[in-house]
Amino acid sequence: GAGVSQSPSNKVTEKGKDVELRCDPISGHTALYWYRQSLGQGLEFLIYFQGNSAPDKSGLPSDRFSAERTGGSVSTLTIQRTQQEDSAVYLCASTQISESYEQYFGPGTRLTVT
Amino acid sequence: KQEVTQIPAALSVPEGENLVLNCSFTDSAIYNLQWFRQDPGKGLTSLLLIQSSQREQTSGRLNASLDKSSGRSTLYIAASQPGDSATYLCAVSSGGSNYKLTFGKGTLLTVNP
């Protein structure tokens, strides 16, 4: 079946502009995560959505970052007033709530802020 | 705060060799542990998941073990092939309210033909 998809695959933006990154999780997966992979920090958790519950935003690095999930499916990560330190690969993962909680990752969006 | 360490950071071996990648974590109260593979410029591919109650999992030439009390996991790759060349990432979930994964920085494996 179809895996997690993300768009765009690459995004180059100028410092100060806003960007939106999109994630389509695996159909039927009720939980969705955003992670960020940067050279210095490795992979780090950003935000978690589960069903209709309030999202867990504890990993967001600043208030310039926000995310929403519409209809329990597609999610959008928005970064406002981008900075050079926001350059990274943004990865989305989804999981079906079950005993294993195994997470499945998308191919990522590579964001470059110039 | 959970911290995950992977040793070595890089490993180069000749084709056919058996090898072991190591992962350690500081908080033994984990829910599960996943091993992933990442090819350059690509996302993460899940290789094996071990629940906290399990000791090992096997898939083909891969075997992952878990010693929760000592905070360690190993990924054993048998009869390595050039196609195994990739970065291998270890990640643990502590469960709780979000089951988020905490990742190590990975081991870059190169298998030489």
Side-chain angles (χ1 to χ4, degrees):
Chain A
V4 178
S5 61
Q6 293 186 244
S7 60
S9 56
N10 281 284
K11 177 72 176 179
V12 180
T13 190
E14 293 180 352
K15 177 181 172 181
K17 296 286 178 89
D18 298 351
V19 295
E20 285 189 353
L21 312 179
R22 176 187 168 107
C23 171
D24 278 276
I26 293 172
S27 177
H29 282 192
T30 58
L32 185 148
Y33 300 81
W34 284 96
Y35 293 87
R36 178 170 71 172
Q37 186 173 32
S38 53
L39 279 177
Q41 301 297 322
L43 257 154
E44 52 185 351
F45 164 79
L46 296 177
I47 190 169
Y48 165 70
F49 294 91
Q50 163 48 24
N52 295 320
S53 302
D56 179 341
K57 306 178 184 179
S58 59
L60 295 179
S62 79
D63 58 9
R64 296 186 295 104
F65 288 71
S66 63
E68 63 177 22
R69 189 177 184 194
T70 54
S73 180
V74 171
S75 176
T76 302
L77 177 69
T78 301
I79 309 173
Q80 295 179 311
R81 305 181 301 282
T82 51
Q83 303 294 313
Q84 289 189 328
E85 61 262 28
D86 300 334
S87 296
V89 177
Y90 290 82
L91 292 160
C92 175
S94 70
T95 185
Q96 186 172 27
I97 302 303
S98 65
E99 184 180 347
S100 75
Y101 254 90
E102 184 170 6
Q103 294 186 28
Y104 296 86
F105 281 76
T109 293
R110 180 174 296 277
L111 175 66
T112 303
V113 182
T114 61
Chain B
K1 177 186 172 186
Q2 180 73 271
E3 293 183 0
V4 180
T5 303
Q6 292 188 245
I7 295 173
L11 180 63
S12 180
V13 300
E15 181 177 4
E17 192 161 297
N18 302 325
L19 58 100
V20 174
L21 307 181
N22 296 291
C23 171
S24 62
F25 45 95
T26 55
D27 185 349
S28 62
I30 66 169
Y31 184 80
N32 63 33
L33 182 147
Q34 275 186 264
W35 282 95
F36 294 90
R37 167 186 174 138
Q38 186 173 33
D39 293 284
K42 305 290 186 183
L44 276 61
T45 301
S46 181
L47 297 174
L48 290 164
L49 179 145
I50 310 179
Q51 297 281 53
S52 62
S53 58
Q54 297 174 322
R55 297 284 293 184
E56 66 176 345
Q57 283 286 339
T58 298
S59 176
R61 295 182 293 108
L62 305 180
N63 176 278
S65 68
L66 174 63
D67 184 342
K68 199 174 74 163
S69 61
S70 67
R72 294 180 182 180
S73 176
T74 61
L75 179 66
Y76 174 82
I77 302 177
S80 57
Q81 303 171 357
D84 295 331
S85 298
T87 296
Y88 290 79
L89 293 158
C90 169
V92 299
S93 170
S94 298
S97 61
N98 61 25
Y99 296 85
K100 70 178 184 183
L101 292 172
T102 301
F103 284 84
K105 288 190 163 40
T107 294
L108 175 60
L109 173 65
T110 302
V111 181
N112 302 299

